[in-house]
Amino acid sequence: MKKQAVKTFGILTSGGDAPGLNAAIRGVCRSAMINYGMKIVGIRNGYRGLINGDGFPITKDTISGIITKGGTILGTSREKPFKNPVASPETGLLPIEAIKKNYKKWKLDALVVLGGNGTNTTGSLLAQEGLNVIGMPKTIDNDIVGTDITFGFHTAVDVATEAIDRIHTTAHSHSRVMVVEVMGHKAGWLGLYSAIAGGGDVCLIPEIPYDINAVAKNVLARRDAGKEFSIVVVAEGALSIEESKMDKKTFKKERAAMPQSIGYRVAKELEAATGLESRTSVLGYLQRGGTPSAYDRVLATQFGAAAADMLYRGEFGKLVAMQDNKIVGIPLETCAGKVKNIPLDDPLIAEGRSVGICFGD
């Protein structure tokens, strides 16, 4: 019989919260406890807790009833131990030294990290430092390289779609152009899916730089065809053709100078170009909060059970991923420091165009 690789592991959640985190924590912990008798140290507030030694034992009671809850019972932070490391004035230890010390103090055989690109990039770096790490893909942006889907994404799509549905009624009643800004700083998956599901007329995403005149032409064509309103879905990272030609430093400077977010700018530009009353709704953190959908609960539980099996087998340095409807483990460096953008030849973009969605190009 193969020797069990892990008897005790630590678990943390890092980066932005997302629906399904608690379901994933429950999935990996319950499976590890029930099937392999593992002990678990819960680490509070992401990598900050790992640096500060803020951990506690997770029991069956700890994870009872959390599958329906949003957020994360472990708390989270955006601590980046490898970025500009500074020694602690109390201990004199650098972040990575403190992490290794606490890993040893808690007698951990492995560490499970739940998060997005930044979290799993840090996980990959910790693996290179000799720690046994397994990552799990969490983000509403669905932008982690190597996995077809992330938990949290479908719930965010549901929330954004419901918001667009509701905004439709106001847009129709007042004959307005309604701009709905959704999350998606570098990748437009959430904008694309919610625009299609919500019947959006325009969809502006980071992958396709927009020409405001092309958008205005589409909106005016709808009015001339008897459609007195338009729904414009804008990802927060959408950019104009002019901005797409800027270097990174100049682009950041331009964005920092904007008085409001991109949705407001698009609404203002459209009103000036069309003469039609335009309004903006920024969904913001609504998309990250609340009860996870049934889909995300199932997906997070699947990922969690797979992570427990990987812990047992000692398959470290990997990310739990979904590929072609199968759960697999892929090297963490596959996704480290990368973003999964929408390919321009993605069928969903073509299908969006086929039903009349304008992408601003």
Side-chain angles (χ1 to χ4, degrees):
M1 182 180 291
K2 184 178 179 180
K3 184 179 178 181
Q4 182 168 320
V6 172
K7 293 183 179 179
T8 303
F9 69 92
I11 185 169
L12 62 82
T13 57
S14 179
D17 67 316
L21 270 172
N22 286 325
I25 294 167
R26 175 183 178 272
V28 64
C29 291
R30 278 183 64 87
S31 183
M33 290 174 183
I34 292 170
N35 296 308
Y36 306 119
M38 294 181 191
K39 295 181 180 179
I40 306 155
V41 175
I43 300 165
R44 296 185 179 93
N45 301 319
Y47 290 113
R48 184 183 302 160
L50 188 57
I51 294 168
N52 296 335
D54 190 0
F56 65 99
I58 287 182
T59 67
K60 289 183 178 178
D61 288 339
T62 309
I63 55 175
S64 176
I66 67 171
I67 193 170
T68 62
K69 294 182 179 178
T72 165
I73 63 166
L74 297 176
T76 187
S77 70
R78 294 191 183 276
E79 190 76 28
K80 297 178 180 179
F82 289 93
K83 186 175 182 179
N84 303 320
V86 177
S88 166
E90 289 82 16
T91 65
L93 297 175
L94 289 168
I96 185 58
E97 294 171 336
I99 285 172
K100 289 180 177 179
K101 180 180 178 181
N102 289 320
Y103 186 91
K104 185 176 181 180
K105 181 184 75 173
W106 289 327
K107 299 179 180 179
L108 302 183
D109 301 308
L111 181 68
V112 177
V113 300
L114 288 69
N117 291 307
T119 299
N120 286 294
T121 296
T122 298
S124 179
L125 293 171
L126 289 175
Q128 293 173 31
E129 290 285 337
L131 275 62
N132 295 328
V133 181
I134 291 175
M136 293 175 64
K138 170 277 317 174
T139 170
I140 69 168
D141 293 326
N142 194 38
D143 63 350
I144 298 180
V145 171
T147 184
D148 296 339
I149 198 74
T150 60
F151 62 87
F153 173 65
H154 271 277
T155 302
V157 170
D158 288 347
V159 171
T161 301
E162 182 179 356
I164 294 168
D165 289 346
R166 292 175 180 273
I167 286 169
H168 256 105
T169 60
T170 293
H172 186 271
S173 298
H174 290 269
S175 300
R176 287 175 176 167
V177 175
M178 297 296 289
V179 176
V180 183
E181 183 183 312
V182 301
M183 285 185 166
H185 182 61
K186 294 181 179 179
W189 296 101
L190 181 55
L192 178 60
Y193 272 69
S194 61
I196 290 176
D201 305 300
V202 177
C203 177
L204 305 183
I205 55 178
E207 291 85 350
I208 305 176
Y210 71 86
D211 177 354
I212 197 64
N213 293 317
V215 180
K217 183 179 179 181
N218 177 272
V219 169
L220 289 173
R222 281 179 51 79
R223 183 201 61 182
D224 294 343
K227 302 287 186 180
E228 297 296 330
F229 71 94
S230 290
I231 301 293
V232 180
V233 179
V234 180
E236 62 183 332
L239 71 167
S240 68
I241 291 174
E242 292 76 16
E243 288 173 321
S244 71
K245 298 175 182 177
M246 297 177 182
D247 60 68
K248 190 174 182 180
K249 185 177 180 180
T250 304
F251 176 72
K252 281 189 173 182
K253 185 177 179 180
E254 289 287 322
R255 279 300 167 93
M258 282 200 326
Q260 292 175 298
S261 62
I262 185 65
Y264 288 97
R265 189 183 79 182
V266 168
K268 185 177 180 180
E269 290 173 336
L270 278 177
E271 190 165 287
T274 65
L276 301 175
E277 188 177 12
S278 303
R279 294 290 184 270
T280 303
S281 289
V282 180
L283 302 187
Y285 294 110
L286 286 172
Q287 298 156 94
R288 289 207 330 224
T291 302
S293 66
Y295 182 99
D296 274 332
R297 295 183 209 180
V298 172
L299 181 65
T301 301
Q302 287 178 294
F303 280 157
D309 292 341
M310 289 167 64
L311 287 167
Y312 171 78
R313 295 191 298 266
E315 296 181 12
F316 305 127
K318 291 186 176 181
L319 174 78
V320 183
M322 180 76 78
Q323 294 182 349
D324 298 325
N325 215 30
K326 294 181 180 179
I327 296 180
V328 297
I330 62 173
L332 275 168
E333 58 262 30
T334 300
C335 64
K338 301 172 186 175
V339 174
K340 184 184 74 177
N341 290 107
I342 305 173
L344 294 182
D345 61 352
D346 190 281
L348 206 54
I349 291 179
E351 289 150 10
R353 294 188 194 278
S354 74
V355 295
I357 294 178
C358 169
F359 288 91
D361 54 350

